[in-house]
Amino acid sequence: MSDGGVLAGTFLCLEDAVPEGGALKIEIAGRPPIAVFRVQGRFFVTDDTCTHGEASLSEGEIDADECVVECPWHSGAFELSSGKPCGAPCTIALRVHRFERRDGGLYLLG
Amino acid sequence: MARIEIVDGAAFPCEAGDTLLRAGLRAGLGLPYECNAGGCGTCKVELVEGAVDNLWPEAPGLSDRDRRKGRVLACQSRPSGDCRLRLRLDPACVPPVRPVRRGARLVGIADITRDIREFRFRAEGPADFLPGQYALLSLPDGLERAYSLSNTANDAGEWHFQIRRVPGGRMTGRLFDDPPAAVMLDGPYGLAHLREGPRDIVCVAGGSGLAPMVSIARGIAADPADQRRVHFFHGGRAALDLPGEAWARDLTGLGSRLDYHPAVSDEAAPGLPKGYIHDILAGWLGERFDAFDFYCAGPPPMVQALEALLIAEKGLHPGRVRFDRFF
């Protein structure tokens, strides 16, 4: 948190902008696109582009029970909490980002 | 003959006995794929209508979640009638040479290292493929494996494979101990083929990954307009796996345009660096990642280490690092 009134982090979106069981793609200038996922009330923030092919994970299928996102192209899969690949053909981990929930908004840290 | 239709897309014929994947590629469609052997999981499709015989129900390329959702591997599916599939085609997978299944005769055998042997087959018509591609080789009883080609395209119809003997392996046991006079060859397949580019080349061959890297190097040697240098990293378990620079320059036809970087992983040997070939490469490269394009073939730990280093850590575009993965 801040001291001296300067709040940390880059604004991503309002929590309400991310549908339950869905995802939102966020473009921030100068960096690869980000995906915000909302699964059973929990939020996850990762890179949006699959590590295997040029596909947007925010358009992928979310398995709420396993907390996994499946890439819409080759159906490779990643654990949302860790970014660990958990379905072929994905082999490279997805980057997971630290974030903060504040006043109904989500902020990217680091 | 079955008719295979892609939802919102093209349709293609599938001959009896052919797989969904190979039939689609034969028709010139970019069905996503990589290994053609059930391992990589790239060719997953959703079977919307129709039925298939699953050649390998436990294939590692498919997860339980995939099975639950009715997905199949196109490379392990033989349609039992007309089918409809849901999939997204990939322009990068459109075959540069359409694969064909053809009969071939064994015309020569030569030892390359202590456990890698070259098998030369000849088929009717020109042998048309790109350096670094593979073909599926099948015996009269149907036993089939994918092997990388080690030569380059030629009008004589010669298809050469440098195959490492796998201890206890069914296919290599047959090839080494009782070589078949006639086989079927299906190919070419594979995306890890030689591309044009402005940078010099690094080839990384681990164990039986030798053949495709030899083919890549030979492809450069065969093109007078291609003046790229090749840095050939060759990993073996012991000195006997690594016949030396003169051997490599001769084998690839590159002569002094090839620099040979051998390393042993198991048995230390005088004059040879000891370590995994990907670590040896990392040490040699330092920070010069932008100076080269990379071609890599070898066992999964080597491929994973190189993927982690070159793509995840150094951020190279995946198009600059081509992998021939073994499963």
Side-chain angles (χ1 to χ4, degrees):
Chain A
M1 292 300 286
S2 62
D3 58 356
V6 181
L7 295 175
T10 307
F11 178 72
L12 288 168
C13 61
L14 290 171
E15 291 182 6
D16 287 346
V18 189
E20 173 54 41
L24 187 67
K25 176 179 177 176
I26 292 163
E27 310 256 19
I28 301 172
R31 63 178 303 156
I34 298 271
V36 180
F37 297 90
R38 181 176 192 165
V39 183
Q40 295 174 344
R42 290 178 68 197
F43 289 90
F44 302 92
V45 179
T46 72
D47 274 358
D48 181 58
T49 308
C50 179
T51 62
H52 172 259
E54 288 281 327
S56 167
L57 292 173
S58 59
E59 295 169 18
E61 208 167 293
I62 296 165
D63 276 3
D65 292 348
E66 299 176 51
C67 211
V68 157
V69 63
E70 288 185 340
C71 177
W73 197 352
H74 303 112
S75 309
F78 299 95
E79 292 177 6
L80 286 173
S81 54
S82 64
K84 201 178 136 213
C86 61
C90 299
T91 52
I92 300 175
L94 183 68
R95 192 161 291 152
V96 172
H97 300 287
R98 289 169 50 236
F99 65 96
E100 191 172 85
R101 294 171 72 171
R102 196 166 66 222
D103 305 329
L106 295 171
Y107 294 81
L108 183 68
L109 300 177
Chain B
M1 174 93 78
R3 183 179 187 273
I4 313 300
E5 187 189 321
I6 298 170
V7 174
D8 299 328
F12 58 90
C14 185
E15 300 274 355
D18 214 357
T19 63
L20 292 174
L21 173 66
R22 294 193 220 173
L25 295 172
R26 288 187 216 292
L29 296 172
L31 265 67
Y33 84 108
E34 191 174 328
C35 79
N36 223 324
C40 74
T42 311
C43 69
K44 277 181 235 175
V45 299
E46 189 186 331
L47 189 59
V48 180
E49 264 177 56
V52 298
D53 291 331
N54 192 336
L55 303 180
W56 189 13
E58 310 80 28
L62 218 52
S63 68
D64 290 341
R65 186 174 47 252
D66 291 319
R67 292 187 181 90
R68 224 172 34 236
K69 294 187 173 182
R71 294 179 187 137
V72 297
L73 294 175
C75 76
Q76 300 300 317
S77 298
R78 268 190 200 143
S80 40
D82 294 352
C83 290
R84 284 183 80 218
L85 311 177
R86 196 186 311 276
L87 64 96
R88 196 192 288 187
L89 293 172
D90 183 352
C93 291
V94 172
V97 179
R98 291 196 192 186
V100 173
R101 190 170 150 86
R102 51 172 73 77
R105 287 174 299 112
L106 183 64
V107 293
I109 295 179
D111 282 334
I112 301 295
T113 71
R114 61 170 167 176
D115 60 359
I116 296 179
R117 193 169 278 180
E118 181 166 290
F119 295 86
R120 303 178 165 200
F121 296 92
R122 188 174 295 151
E124 289 291 318
D128 193 8
F129 57 87
L130 299 176
Q133 290 198 291
Y134 63 85
L136 295 137
L137 196 157
S138 57
L139 301 183
D141 64 3
L143 184 62
E144 183 178 70
R145 295 283 185 274
Y147 292 112
S148 298
L149 290 148
S150 57
N151 62 332
T152 54
N154 60 88
D155 289 335
E158 294 224 357
W159 302 70
H160 299 178
F161 302 87
Q162 291 174 354
I163 298 173
R164 179 166 164 222
R165 184 179 199 127
V166 179
R170 272 171 74 204
M171 187 69 162
T172 57
R174 297 270 292 279
L175 286 171
F176 278 68
D177 298 334
D178 181 19
V183 297
M184 294 299 285
L185 293 183
D186 189 357
Y189 295 101
L191 313 172
H193 53 79
L194 180 63
R195 323 274 167 145
E196 292 179 349
R199 303 175 189 84
D200 285 344
I201 301 278
V202 167
C203 287
V204 192
S208 47
L210 182 64
M213 296 301 100
V214 167
S215 181
I216 294 281
R218 284 176 168 174
I220 291 172
D223 180 358
D226 194 335
Q227 288 301 312
R228 288 178 284 182
R229 265 198 101 69
V230 174
H231 301 274
F232 200 100
F233 286 77
H234 187 193
R237 283 158 299 160
L240 278 171
D241 297 318
L242 308 163
E245 184 165 72
W247 166 87
R249 289 179 161 182
D250 187 46
L251 186 69
T252 59
L254 274 171
S256 59
R257 266 209 288 154
L258 180 136
D259 292 318
Y260 186 64
H261 305 268
V264 287
S265 58
D266 286 0
E267 298 170 27
L272 285 174
K274 186 165 185 297
Y276 290 116
I277 197 67
H278 46 266
D279 293 330
I280 302 291
L281 170 70
W284 177 83
L285 269 178
E287 291 304 317
R288 295 177 297 154
F289 293 92
D290 277 330
F292 306 100
D293 289 330
F294 297 83
Y295 294 85
C296 317
M302 182 195 105
V303 166
Q304 278 165 25
L306 287 170
E307 237 175 15
L309 172 73
L310 298 173
I311 296 178
E313 188 186 324
K314 299 299 174 185
L316 294 194
H317 186 275
R320 286 186 48 204
V321 191
R322 304 282 171 183
F323 291 106
D324 184 341
R325 299 165 207 267
F326 303 161
F327 291 94

